[in-house]
Amino acid sequence: MRTTVPPVACVGEPRLTAGFAEFGRLDLLAHEEVHGPIGPMEPAALLRLAEAIDLKGKGGAGFPFARKLRAVLESCERQDLAAVVVVNASEGEPASWKDKVLLTRAPHLILDGAALAAYALDAEEIVIGVADDEVGRPSLTEALQERRMPVPTTIVTVPHRFISGEGGALVNGINGLPHIPPGTKKRSSDSGVGGLPTLLSNAETYAQLAVAARIGPYEYAALGTDDEPGTVLLTVTGAAKRPAVVECAAGTPLREILELCEVPEGPGILMGGYHGKWITPEAADRAEVSRKGLVAVGGTLGAGIIVPLARDTCPLGEAAQVVRYLAGESAGQCGPCKMGLPDLARAVDLAVSGSAPIEVVRAAAGDVKGRGACSHPDGTARFALSAMEVFAEDLRLHATGEGCGKRVKGVMGLPGAPDANPRKLTLDWSRCDGHGLCAHVVPDFIRLDGNGYPAFPATPVPTWLREGALKAVKVCPELALRLVKAE
């Protein structure tokens, strides 16, 4: 996993990234020189501003900020309670770096936006959630020391896990509970941090709010589209020869971004991150960088994550690695996550190995969609199904048992290095008597077929199931099961 912030680029007029070329990191003096002064806003004025620019959350879900703000205002009045403002800068997805860029280079923009919201809500405190990777916290701490905030402001670190950035998980972590989504869906606007009405939004969202408050809605809308005014921050990694965090106006042709980052021709591009969707190169040629523009070609903007693949890696193998990772990132507290996602990962592995048709993946995805306590099962299912559709020709080659002839290079930005010692299970059919103990020990990888004999993918055992596979080998009474090096 990358531990240094990638370079920053801009297409057109910079806003969030203004001053980066001159100052690198903007301390308070540089920040005020570049962006100018900012003053507090009353609730009605802040609501009008957020509605005028149609500000939506930049963390992936795209929920209207004005609706969140109004919900918290109404909840405070109804319950006669103070509010809390939470900045979600945890950025748990490994492929995303835009919030870390803001934390390390423009922390005062984030703080400005949070301060605007805190003043409008007459909030009790501001809490900023950052990952425990220590990438963004030092810069944010320094920024807080350089200025006075309208209310007490604290930084809370959360584990750098995929689900730690989910809103409910962040609130749980701030409240001293495990950093996982709550078992039941609840609105933080009614009861969040400390049981108080909580305004929770992404770091970039607050930074965009600070820009709009300075220049006003009309100048803000001078960039972007009629439906989506303003700029967008993108993280471009994968096969890009010049990976970067890029700021561009909404509506910019996607191909322009790909050429800027020197993305080679490849089989597909992941849009929106690990809960996003794949699009073909042909779709990328027609796409515009906006929520509406990407949906039109079968993609999604999500949190602005773009991961292109090159022709020298197996796209289905890359996708399978991500599905395994997402299954391992489950909070393990609801059935669709705890049981359904490992089953989906196994189904994808079976399809990739040519051992099962795509219908097995569709069935496994259908079992988890719309049934989880959070959006993790839905997002994982969407990613897996999209891969099966976009890489249909590769899937056909894999179905023959021969595969596409390309190795998996591990370019998806997953945490840690690719498995240096992949292992797979093999079975000595002359010894197996069908006791079924192995399937009982590791049901997430080994199942019993219609005759009661073990069936499992020919692909390497996922690292998160390796321990279970070893136990299965040890309990086999006929010594028929082996864990061997995967070539």
Side-chain angles (χ1 to χ4, degrees), residues 160-457:
H160 196 265
R161 287 191 60 197
F162 189 87
I163 61 169
S164 296
E166 194 272 340
L170 179 57
V171 169
N172 272 350
I174 295 170
N175 285 334
L177 300 172
H179 293 267
I180 59 176
T184 57
K185 294 180 179 179
K186 53 194 296 188
R187 295 174 59 185
S188 60
S189 58
D190 289 330
S191 178
V193 174
L196 298 176
T198 299
L199 177 68
L200 191 156
S201 204
N202 171 260
E204 184 194 343
T205 312
Y206 286 107
Q208 293 279 7
L209 184 67
V211 169
R214 283 182 166 91
I215 65 178
Y218 297 107
E219 186 176 344
Y220 186 88
L223 297 180
T225 67
D226 292 340
D227 294 327
E228 300 176 43
T231 64
V232 180
L233 277 185
L234 306 169
T235 306
V236 186
T237 56
K241 295 179 181 178
R242 295 180 58 193
V245 169
V246 182
E247 182 179 16
C248 69
T252 300
L254 175 59
R255 180 54 61 185
E256 188 173 344
I257 305 299
L258 300 178
E259 290 176 355
L260 174 70
C261 296
E262 298 182 11
V263 172
E265 290 187 9
I269 302 167
L270 178 63
M271 301 300 303
Y274 296 169
H275 278 179
K277 299 176 74 174
W278 294 90
I279 63 172
T280 64
E282 294 75 20
D285 289 337
R286 307 191 308 271
E288 292 183 347
V289 179
S290 67
R291 296 185 186 280
K292 185 176 179 179
L294 288 168
V295 168
V297 298
T300 179
L301 179 61
I305 298 164
I306 302 175
V307 188
L309 296 181
R311 293 193 183 279
D312 61 350
T313 189
C314 171
L316 288 171
E318 296 283 355
Q321 285 189 343
V322 174
V323 177
R324 293 181 210 136
Y325 163 77
L326 292 173
E329 288 294 290
S330 162
Q333 62 180 348
C334 70
C337 255
K338 186 176 182 179
M339 302 299 294
L341 291 189
D343 192 52
L344 177 58
R346 177 179 179 275
V348 171
D349 279 339
L350 284 169
V352 173
S353 67
S355 303
I358 189 175
E359 285 74 20
V360 173
V361 178
R362 289 174 178 154
D367 287 341
V368 302
K369 288 171 65 176
R371 299 178 57 208
C374 70
S375 63
H376 188 50
D378 285 352
T380 305
R382 179 168 54 245
F383 172 92
L385 290 174
S386 175
M388 298 296 109
E389 293 168 3
V390 170
F391 304 126
E393 177 58 24
D394 289 88
L395 192 62
R396 186 189 66 79
L397 294 173
H398 282 256
T400 66
E402 298 178 3
C404 62
K406 303 169 186 174
R407 68 185 183 91
V408 181
K409 297 185 69 175
V411 300
M412 295 297 297
L414 291 168
D419 190 358
N421 187 29
R423 316 288 284 184
K424 68 177 182 179
L425 286 171
T426 62
L427 191 67
D428 184 345
W429 288 103
S430 66
R431 303 180 68 97
C432 180
D433 282 342
H435 294 89
L437 291 176
C438 55
H440 178 74
V441 172
V442 59
D444 296 337
F445 195 73
I446 303 175
R447 299 291 176 88
L448 299 181
D449 63 19
N451 296 313
Y453 285 92
F456 45 82

Side-chain angles (χ1 to χ4, degrees), residues 450-469:
N451 296 313
Y453 285 92
F456 45 82
T459 51
V461 179
T463 55
W464 47 277
L465 291 176
R466 189 77 54 80
E467 183 178 352

